[in-house]
Amino acid sequence: MDNLIGMLYQTIPLTLGGVIFVAFFLAFRRTQRHAHYLLWPAAAWFLAALDEWYMSTYQPEMNIRIDAPPCLALMAISTLTCVPMSFIRRRA
């Protein structure tokens, strides 16, 4: 499991995840009323990609990463809550 997280928690896969959420937002903004919720997970994925890029570029000797668990938690919470919220139809 740790190896899978290590493979996915790299700059390029995280950036692609953010781009995918922005693409879904652009595709669904006309049909789904709450498609703007897809921008929250995109921002979380881009923030994690920026954090990973900074750590790998400017501090590559760090072997204990205390910044990764909060970023992973932010990505998981925003993805698991905002994606369903963008497709649930609410009545006034």
Side-chain angles (χ1 to χ4, degrees):
M1 184 70 167
D2 186 39
N3 192 16
L4 178 64
I5 292 173
M7 277 180 23
L8 294 176
Y9 198 77
Q10 294 177 1
T11 306
I12 293 175
L14 292 172
T15 305
L16 288 176
V19 168
I20 288 171
F21 280 115
V22 170
F24 280 147
F25 164 72
L26 293 174
F28 292 126
R29 67 181 170 171
R30 301 273 187 222
T31 60
Q32 296 294 328
R33 186 173 171 195
H34 300 286
H36 63 277
Y37 286 120
L38 291 172
L39 294 177
W40 285 99
W45 283 70
F46 284 136
L47 182 66
L50 182 66
D51 175 61
E52 180 62 25
W53 171 80
Y54 176 80
M55 293 304 262
S56 64
T57 303
Y58 293 107
Q59 298 178 350
E61 68 279 352
M62 300 245 331
N63 63 357
I64 298 175
R65 298 283 307 268
I66 60 170
D67 62 323
C71 287
L72 285 171
L74 179 66
M75 288 169 40
I77 290 170
S78 66
T79 301
L80 293 176
T81 57
C82 292
V83 170
M85 286 173 53
S86 63
F87 294 107
I88 292 175
R89 299 204 186 264
R90 296 188 190 113
R91 295 177 191 233

